[in-house]
Amino acid sequence: AQKITQTQPGMFVQEKEAVTLDCTYDTSDPSYGLFWYKQPSSGEMIFLIYQGSYDQQNATEGRYSLNFQKARKSANLVISASQLGDSAMYFCAMSLAGGTSYGKLTFGQGTILTVHP
Amino acid sequence: NAGVTQTPKFQVLKTGQSMTLQCAQDMNHNSMYWYRQDPGMGLRLIYYSASEGTTDKGEVPNGYNVSRLNKREFSLRLESAAPSQTSVYFCASSEGRTLAKNIQYFGAGTRLSVL
């Protein structure tokens, strides 16, 4: 069974600075996907970025990048040039490619990010 | 762009009452999912439907049933609500063809309280 761990319950960052949100995962399956979602106070879940286990390069989407270290089983989210609107809960999630687990997301407990002006 | 639409947005039930949460997507996605989110926790999968005509249990299926009515719609039913089912419920959908394409898109959620 897969597991996602987010060890930072809360993080603070100054506006315009970069911040890294930690995520480690555990699976014995060689083929998997890692996802980050943002949940603002309004409650919706917003997809941010995806990294496949066989991808050679770290994923980037605008100000979001994923620092993927396969040997360490970590998939940290880096947000550059933080904005006030980045204040939200952030979830790391994983999906396995094989068998009956295909497509099902397992979520971590989340990290609350607060951006200070 | 409606995406994934959930109804209702809020609901209060008494213990033992039944209700159905509705979900519809307009993205022609194959797979649909129901999750619950409890305070301070990530989402946990209740049931999912990999494709029209199929449904399967997730991590926390007890007390729930689902129906994949057609490709667009996936409903979640609570037959006899219990206070432990107080939660925020999210429906999601994805293309479901490859892992890279299996990005799940979520509805706005249904906040359910069972008294």
Side-chain angles (χ1 to χ4, degrees), chain A residues 32-33 37 39 43 102-104, chain B residues 37 45 48 90 98-99 102 104:
Chain A
Y32 50 88
Y37 283 84
Q39 186 177 41
Y102 178 80
K104 294 186 282 187
Chain B
Q37 182 180 25
L45 183 65
Y48 71 103
F90 287 97
T98 69
L99 193 58
N102 203 44
Q104 294 185 24

Side-chain angles (χ1 to χ4, degrees), chain B residues 13 34 48 51 55 59 75 86 92 96 102 105 109 111:
Chain B
L13 293 177
W34 277 105
Y48 71 103
S51 61
T55 61
E59 181 185 353
S75 62
T86 294
N102 203 44
Y105 297 92
R111 192 171 296 272

Side-chain angles (χ1 to χ4, degrees), chain A residues 19-63:
Chain A
V19 62
T20 298
L21 305 184
D22 293 342
C23 172
T24 58
Y25 60 92
D26 186 24
T27 181
S28 56
D29 195 310
S31 181
Y32 50 88
L34 296 157
F35 305 77
W36 278 91
Y37 283 84
K38 172 183 178 182
Q39 186 177 41
S41 58
S42 52
E44 71 269 32
M45 295 287 288
I46 302 167
F47 166 74
L48 295 178
I49 196 167
Y50 164 83
Q51 178 85 43
S53 59
Y54 293 118
D55 293 343
Q56 294 298 313
Q57 293 188 322
N58 287 343
T60 60
E61 290 284 351
R63 293 187 298 111

Side-chain angles (χ1 to χ4, degrees), chain A residues 11-13 17-21 77-82 86 113 115:
Chain A
M11 288 286 286
F12 296 90
V13 66
E17 292 185 348
V19 62
T20 298
L21 305 184
L77 177 70
V78 181
I79 305 174
S80 63
S82 297
D86 293 335
L113 176 66
V115 181

